[in-house]
């Protein structure tokens, strides 16, 4: 295939999160981040937000059932995130 159609996830042994960071760093080498960017990816705080998203994702995936026919209580968890601090919590009382 064409090189531009391929994704090489060489960062950190194939970690999608590290690959995303590599892509954003490459973008910022051409177009540096600014505090008032339209998207969170355009702001200086992009890495803190991506770290928070990764933490929430890892928590959610840790709650997946081990087998498809086991309970899917993880679907009823509600996450609250304070994007300015990166703090988050999960309410699993309905799970």
């Amino acid at each position: 295939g064409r090189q531009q159609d391929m994704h090489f996830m060489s960062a950190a042994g194939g970690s999608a999160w590290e690959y995303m960071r590599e892509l954003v760093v490459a973008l910022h080498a051409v177009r540096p981040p600014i505090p008032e960017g339209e998207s969170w990816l355009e702001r200086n705080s992009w890495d803190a937000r991506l770290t928070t998203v990764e933490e929430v994702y890892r928590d959610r995936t840790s709650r997946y059932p081990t087998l498809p026919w086991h309970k899917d209580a993880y679907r009823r968890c509600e996450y609250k995130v304070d994007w300015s601090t990166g703090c988050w919590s999960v309410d699993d009382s309905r799970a």
Side-chain angles (χ1 to χ4, degrees):
R2 301 177 316 164
Q3 183 126 9
Q4 65 266 32
D5 295 336
M6 303 177 115
H7 297 279
F8 296 102
M9 293 181 45
S10 59
S15 163
W17 298 103
E18 289 306 315
Y19 184 64
M20 283 186 265
R21 285 182 175 88
E22 271 189 16
L23 292 175
V24 176
V25 167
L27 170 67
H28 289 169
V30 177
R31 186 175 172 184
I34 54 175
E36 62 279 344
E38 279 188 42
S39 164
W40 64 272
L41 288 167
E42 297 173 335
R43 298 184 197 127
N44 297 326
S45 59
W46 69 270
D47 192 45
R49 184 170 177 131
L50 186 59
T51 298
T52 303
V53 171
E54 180 181 4
E55 289 172 2
V56 170
Y57 174 82
R58 289 189 190 282
D59 183 77
R60 182 169 171 85
T61 57
S62 73
R63 298 170 184 271
Y64 287 171
T66 52
L67 296 170
W69 52 85
H70 287 171
K71 288 189 172 191
D72 65 347
Y74 76 95
R75 295 176 187 269
R76 290 177 288 285
C77 292
E78 292 185 23
Y79 289 86
K80 291 184 182 178
V81 179
D82 180 345
W83 294 110
S84 63
T85 65
C87 294
W88 58 274
S89 63
V90 60
D91 176 3
D92 59 2
S93 62
R94 298 183 328 164

